[in-house]
Amino acid sequence: MAKNILIVCTSWDKLGNTDEPTGCWAEEVVAPYYIWKKHGYNVTIASVKGGEVPMDEASLNPPYLTKEVEDFLLDDEAMKGLMESVPLSSVTGKEYDAVFLPGGHGTCWDFPDNAELVALLSHFVEYNKVISAVCHGPMGLVNVKGTDGQPLVAGKKVTCFSDAEEFAVAKENVVPFMLETRLKELGALYECGPEKWAPYALRDGNLVTGQNPASSARVADLVVDALTLQ
């Protein structure tokens, strides 16, 4: 039977309480979406509030616009998923084999303390399903516990948008906390690539994480590896 994957996107469209727009980063949704579709997987796009997923405009324009994103924008079926995303409140997780959290700075505000998201991810933990995230997507992991009651990331190899990358985009005083630092505080065995912006992804059991937008495809491939073993 075909595997079922749930992508959960941010619904937050401003940097904190400012008027500066943000949202979900396109490549982080699109690259995994097409990889999983090529494997014959069923892919559902959800978001915190449901409906249209706010996209970071920078990710839809050069130099960050990828060929896959261009194709996605012209793909009616794929775009319908982004325009009519399933609200998180209506998702149980029971019908899915893996969950994926793409980033974008919007996640910094509506992922960490989201009780519905924590409950959803706790289901995946309980049933030993695949949990994956890229860039700022691991914001959704910081309040999730493992079956032992400890932070899910404790003692696990993980990566995310590095503190060095956050400083490079001058958002260190905008985000509520630095994600790399927080994951380390939670006991994660944090790793990042030798160069900023280069692809880097890790799989530790059923937990898959990627460092930045360029790591999205590698995360998708590692999710395929994890699902193949189930």
Side-chain angles (χ1 to χ4, degrees), residues 3 5 9 14 51 78 83-84 146 172 181-182 189 191 193 205 221 228:
K3 299 293 187 180
I5 299 187
C9 301
K14 296 289 192 297
M83 300 302 291
E84 302 175 10
E172 73 276 7
T181 297
R182 178 62 60 86
L189 305 177
E191 297 182 15
D221 288 336
T228 302

Side-chain angles (χ1 to χ4, degrees), residues 9 12 32 35 46 87 98 113 129 134 145 148 179 186 197 212:
C9 301
W12 199 278
I35 287 172
D113 299 315
K129 297 180 179 181
V134 71
K145 304 293 186 184
D148 58 359
L179 185 51
L186 293 170
W197 321 121
N212 46 39

Side-chain angles (χ1 to χ4, degrees), residues 160-182:
C160 70
F161 199 64
S162 68
D163 287 358
E165 287 167 324
E166 201 72 83
F167 278 107
V169 297
K171 296 292 191 298
E172 73 276 7
N173 293 319
V174 178
V175 295
F177 55 85
M178 300 290 275
L179 185 51
E180 173 189 332
T181 297
R182 178 62 60 86

